[in-house]
Amino acid sequence: MYAPFLRQGRRRGLVLALSLLVGGSLMTACGSSGEPAATTQAGQSPASSAGTAGGLIAIITPSHDNPFFKAEADAAKAKAEELGYETSVASHDDDPNKQSELIDAAISRSAKAIILDNAGADASIGPVRKATDAGVPVFLIDREINATGIAKAQIVSNNSQGAQLAAQAFVEAMGSKGNYVELVGKESDTNASVRSKGFADVISQYPDMKSVARESANWDQQEAFTKMETIIQKNRDIQGVIAGNDTMALGAVAALKAAGLLDKVVVVGFDGSPDAIAAIKAGEMHATALQPAALAATSAVEQADEFIKTGKVSKDEKQSIDCELVTKDNADEFGVFARK
């Protein structure tokens, strides 16, 4: 009499086991929404796989108080939206901690890509790697990091070429002789050292060019003004100032003007900002090396779009764009960090 019950029990147990097995398989194959869960290699998110345009592109740059950074952010935003993406635009203010927070936010929002003008060649390596490991590709513009194989692209102006253009114009305007001051950018930024070396590569060929001061003003106009005031107090016999960016060059212009020396001093900058071009037209600056901010930012977004759609990049990681010299003779040909 026990045999039928035993057979029924075995049947029920078999049905229950099959039900649990099927149910477990379904749970494994489905996400919380009931859709099949995406699977990627090496912990990458779906953003790193080939797909279609759409979704969020995060654009992170230094402060937009500097017109160069505003121009690149505006250009990246316009191109991304033209290609069908949503955008978020934020500034890290050259603060690595704030940059890390912004990158974390982009990751948590499942950004399809990050366009980044970074907050330090060394300090940015970890956050860029974190984004990449999370499957969010990073495309660097303007500033490189001291590592390769992490970002999908590092698109920068040819800072060495631009610095040599600016330095040659500087030497010629000074008649190949005289005392000069160099204002250097933020030491954590590789652009500062590359530009300074580019200046030196040219100026060092002229033995009658004498450096009387070399100060870092951290890309800042007010700091450049203050540093220049101090230099002038110690040495008024200055015939030239060459600066690693236009913001510092304009700070030097203000200090020289206040000291009544501007008409005796050649000032050359780097960036090609609208304010610097206006100063060149007014005769307050001699020249600047224009780096095409909008072109680099637009190219980064186009490459991000390509990667989002195909899962591949067709260009080398390290990319450079030549600068152009802006003087009074051709200043009318340029607009906002680009030729008109």
Side-chain angles (χ1 to χ4, degrees), residues 5 39 107 181 188 210 277 288 303 334 339:
F5 290 100
T39 57
I107 294 170
V181 173
S188 63
K210 306 292 184 183
I277 292 175
T288 183
Q303 290 176 48
F334 296 90
R339 278 192 174 271

Side-chain angles (χ1 to χ4, degrees), residues 69 153 161 295:
F69 302 128
Q161 172 261 351
L295 179 59

Side-chain angles (χ1 to χ4, degrees), residues 155-281:
I155 308 169
V156 301
S157 299
N158 190 336
N159 285 281
S160 179
Q161 172 261 351
Q164 291 177 34
L165 276 180
Q168 192 61 55
F170 182 63
V171 169
E172 290 172 1
M174 288 183 62
S176 304
K177 64 180 185 297
N179 297 330
Y180 74 95
V181 173
E182 181 185 354
L183 295 177
V184 185
K186 190 180 290 290
E187 293 180 1
S188 63
D189 185 344
T190 55
N191 288 347
S193 58
V194 172
R195 292 175 193 175
S196 185
K197 183 180 183 303
F199 294 157
D201 286 345
V202 173
I203 297 172
S204 63
Q205 299 176 43
Y206 300 88
D208 292 330
M209 296 282 292
K210 306 292 184 183
S211 173
V212 296
R214 183 177 181 274
E215 295 276 355
S216 172
N218 294 303
W219 305 130
D220 184 76
Q221 185 165 339
Q222 182 57 49
E223 188 170 345
F225 176 84
T226 302
K227 293 282 179 72
M228 199 67 214
E229 274 192 322
T230 302
I231 292 168
I232 290 169
Q233 289 168 7
K234 295 178 179 178
N235 187 350
R236 292 180 63 87
D237 186 21
I238 298 168
Q239 285 78 51
V241 177
I242 190 164
N245 77 345
D246 287 338
T247 307
M248 295 188 298
L250 291 167
V253 165
L256 290 165
K257 190 181 294 186
L261 295 175
L262 185 58
D263 61 341
K264 301 175 183 177
V265 180
V266 174
V267 180
V268 169
F270 195 112
D271 275 346
S273 73
D275 287 343
I277 292 175
I280 290 169
K281 291 179 181 180

Side-chain angles (χ1 to χ4, degrees), residues 76-136:
K77 175 180 170 66
K79 175 53 69 173
E81 291 178 355
E82 175 189 321
L83 292 172
Y85 297 92
E86 298 174 18
T87 59
S88 67
V89 179
S91 170
H92 53 57
D93 298 322
D94 280 312
D95 180 344
N97 293 326
K98 186 175 180 181
Q99 174 180 259
S100 293
E101 292 171 0
L102 291 170
I103 289 175
D104 286 346
I107 294 170
S108 69
R109 295 181 65 187
S110 300
K112 291 292 190 73
I114 296 172
I115 309 298
L116 175 66
D117 190 337
N118 72 77
D122 292 314
S124 301
I125 294 172
V128 171
R129 181 179 282 113
K130 183 176 183 179
T132 300
D133 289 345
V136 182

